[in-house]
Amino acid sequence: MYRFLLTPRWWGINLFVVLAIPFCVFMGTWQLGRFEDRVQTHEMAEKRPDPGTRSPKPLGDLLPVSTETSGRPAVATGTYSDQFLVPGRKLDDRDGFYVLDLLRTDSGKALPVVRGWLAGSPGSTPVPAAPTGEVTVTGDLQASENSGTTGVDVSGGLPEGQLGMISAASLVNLVPYDVYDAWVTLPEPDAGGASGGMRPVPAAAAQGSGLDLKAFQNLGYTGEWFVFAGFVLFMWFRLVRREAEAARDVQLGLAADAD
């Protein structure tokens, strides 16, 4: 009755099942591991001291930015150069923009410094001038933004002097010098003694350090892969049963032999 399992058509079905079930189990286990890694990272982050309360360190000692160094106070010395306004940024549910200046350091590279946030829109709100001469800034270190960062504008077409995303990649074609792949936000507005209404931009938590939506997506994908594995096995048993019943009916003369 089960000789049909040795036919070429069923060899193909059996091979698919033998390969599909381990693959689904492997992918489900991998997604579960990703979720557990995020949980562990979140627990470790909860046990660490608040990055902003830790002692400031030179910028070079904290690069490249990681979940460990993100939010740590970084110290850099240089002179302010080019200025960019970053529109479409909210603070306390109010629309506004960041005031970003590039700090040219002795290394030749520039550090993007968010001096503060202003309500309104670029061009219609006066922007306090940056301090002149050599300055030393201490700001909370942040990783470069990407297309998934809240508030980022990747559509392009912004007016000259505006920036949609704070990253070295977006600045490389706008300035004639190298830029650090990081930025800092100042805990107090830096405007040479006149803030002009600027407010400090709070440092954001490092990506991947919390139980965000992506973490629970990993958990959801885990369930989906295991369900797929069960579905493949269920469909195989169902097909086998149907084929066996058809073969039995032929043997009993209840149905015509398809061959």
Side-chain angles (χ1 to χ4, degrees):
M1 186 181 299
Y2 291 96
R3 289 180 180 177
F4 62 84
L5 291 173
L6 300 179
T7 61
R9 180 170 72 91
W10 273 95
W11 268 110
I13 295 174
N14 294 336
L15 180 62
F16 171 78
V17 172
V18 168
L19 295 177
I21 292 178
F23 176 76
C24 291
V25 172
F26 168 77
M27 291 300 297
T29 304
W30 180 73
Q31 290 287 353
L32 181 60
R34 292 289 303 274
F35 174 74
E36 291 175 343
D37 288 343
R38 288 179 180 274
V39 171
Q40 185 177 12
T41 302
H42 174 69
E43 291 176 345
M44 292 175 61
E46 288 289 315
K47 294 178 181 177
R48 295 193 198 110
D50 185 351
T53 64
R54 303 174 74 173
S55 301
K57 282 192 172 184
L59 175 66
D61 295 348
L62 300 176
L63 296 177
V65 185
S66 65
T67 54
E68 173 67 27
T69 61
S70 180
R72 291 281 301 272
V75 180
T77 300
T79 55
Y80 282 121
S81 182
D82 295 275
Q83 181 180 92
F84 295 91
L85 305 181
V86 188
R89 301 306 175 101
K90 290 190 174 183
L91 187 63
D92 296 335
D93 292 329
R94 296 179 61 194
D95 294 326
F97 58 94
Y98 293 168
V99 178
L100 182 145
D101 286 82
L102 296 178
L103 185 74
R104 297 289 302 274
T105 65
D106 293 338
S107 68
K109 284 188 172 183
L111 173 66
V113 177
V114 173
R115 294 169 43 226
W117 173 92
L118 284 171
S121 58
S124 62
T125 303
V127 177
T132 58
E134 187 175 81
V135 296
T136 297
V137 300
T138 301
D140 297 330
L141 187 64
Q142 300 281 267
S144 288
E145 295 181 336
N146 54 57
S147 58
T149 305
T150 302
V152 161
D153 182 358
V154 294
S155 61
L158 292 174
E160 184 177 357
Q162 295 187 25
L163 187 68
M165 180 169 61
I166 307 174
S167 71
S170 61
L171 286 164
V172 67
N173 294 322
L174 301 179
V175 293
Y177 41 81
D178 293 333
V179 179
Y180 283 106
D181 190 21
W183 58 283
V184 298
T185 176
L186 301 185
E188 294 294 336
D190 189 351
S195 66
M198 280 203 304
R199 297 173 56 188
V201 176
Q207 290 188 350
S209 62
L211 293 180
D212 54 10
L213 179 60
K214 289 184 178 180
F216 291 100
Q217 284 179 339
N218 292 135
L219 188 60
Y221 294 150
T222 299
E224 288 180 1
W225 282 112
F226 287 136
V227 168
F228 291 157
F231 179 75
V232 169
L233 190 60
F234 166 77
M235 289 302 298
W236 183 83
F237 275 114
R238 185 174 181 180
L239 289 173
V240 168
R241 182 179 177 182
R242 187 178 66 177
E243 195 85 2
E245 289 175 348
R248 182 189 62 188
D249 290 344
V250 169
Q251 290 179 351
L252 295 175
L254 300 177
D257 191 341
D259 297 330

